[in-house]
C-alpha cells in the first residue's frame, strides 16, 4: 500500500522541514527529510504552572512509507520543555508516530494491509526493509 505525495505532506503539515537529502545505504537510495517540531506551551501539563521554558531538543529517527518505490525516513528534532516550578520535562508530540516508536502510523497500516492480503511475515519484512 503506497501513499500519495498529498497524504505524505499533509501528515507533515505541523512540522517545519529544514532539509531534504538522499543517501545510499548498501546500494539502496534513502530519502531523508529533516524537520523541526516545536510549538508554544502556555502551561505545564503536570502542575499547570506558567513557568515553562524550552529545554533543547531530542532527535527521533522515523521510518515513513515508500513513495514511488523509494524509501523515506524522517530525522525529526522534537522540542523539549521544562517546567521551572515542578522541574518535570516533556517533549513536543506529533501524530505521525507514537511516543517511543520509530515506525510511522502510515508504515504500520501498510504492514497490516500486506498481512491481510496474505503476505507472509518474511515477505513483509523483506518488503519494508529494502
Amino acid at each position: 500500500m503506497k501513499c500519495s505525495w498529498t497524504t505524505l505532506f499533509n501528515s507533515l503539515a505541523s512540522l517545519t522541514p529544514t532539509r531534504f537529502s538522499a543517501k545510499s545505504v548498501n546500494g539502496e537510495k534513502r530519502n531523508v527529510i529533516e524537520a523541526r517540531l516545536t510549538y508554544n506551551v502556555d502551561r505545564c501539563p503536570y502542575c499547570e504552572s506558567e513557568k515553562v521554558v524550552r529545554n533543547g531538543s531530542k532527535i527521533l529517527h522515523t521510518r515513513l512509507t515508500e513513495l514511488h518505490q523509494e524509501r523515506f525516513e524522517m530525522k525529526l528534532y522534537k522540542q523539549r520543555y521544562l517546567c521551572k516550578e515542578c522541574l518535570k520535562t516533556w517533549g513536543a508530540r506529533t501524530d505521525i508516530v507514537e511516543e517511543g516508536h520509530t515506525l510511522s502510523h502510515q508504515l504500520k497500516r501498510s504492514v497490516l494491509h500486506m498481512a491481510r492480503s496474505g503476505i507472509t511475515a518474511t515477505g513483509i519484512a523483506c518488503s519494508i526493509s529494502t
Side-chain angles (χ1 to χ4, degrees):
M1 182 172 160
K2 307 294 181 200
C3 70
S4 69
W5 283 106
T6 305
T7 304
L8 175 64
F9 286 105
N10 283 343
S11 67
L12 303 178
S14 62
L15 307 174
T16 304
T18 57
R19 185 175 153 200
F20 295 92
S21 62
K23 64 181 180 179
S24 180
V25 177
N26 297 328
E28 175 194 18
K29 180 182 177 185
R30 295 188 185 176
N31 298 291
V32 180
I33 301 168
E34 290 188 30
R36 183 165 303 283
L37 175 65
T38 186
Y39 46 79
N40 292 327
V41 175
D42 298 327
R43 296 184 177 275
C44 172
Y46 300 101
C47 72
E48 299 292 320
S49 170
E50 294 180 2
K51 297 179 182 177
V52 176
V53 295
R54 292 179 182 205
N55 188 35
S57 61
K58 178 180 181 179
I59 299 174
L60 173 70
H61 296 274
T62 303
R63 172 80 184 271
L64 303 172
T65 55
E66 288 185 353
L67 188 59
H68 301 293
Q69 299 178 341
E70 290 186 17
R71 181 172 171 166
F72 280 80
E73 298 176 357
M74 179 180 289
K75 185 176 181 181
L76 181 60
Y77 295 84
K78 292 173 60 176
Q79 181 68 56
R80 300 282 304 158
Y81 301 95
L82 166 70
C83 174
K84 291 206 167 197
E85 190 73 31
C86 68
L87 301 179
K88 293 201 177 187
T89 62
W90 67 96
R93 297 181 186 262
T94 178
D95 60 356
I96 294 172
V97 63
E98 286 182 56
E99 193 69 29
H101 292 227
T102 58
L103 300 179
S104 70
H105 292 299
Q106 288 177 331
L107 183 60
K108 288 179 184 180
R109 283 192 292 275
S110 294
V111 168
L112 287 173
H113 178 73
M114 287 186 268
R116 288 186 187 126
S117 299
I119 299 173
T120 65
T122 303
I124 293 170
C126 289
S127 173
I128 67 169
S129 66
T130 58

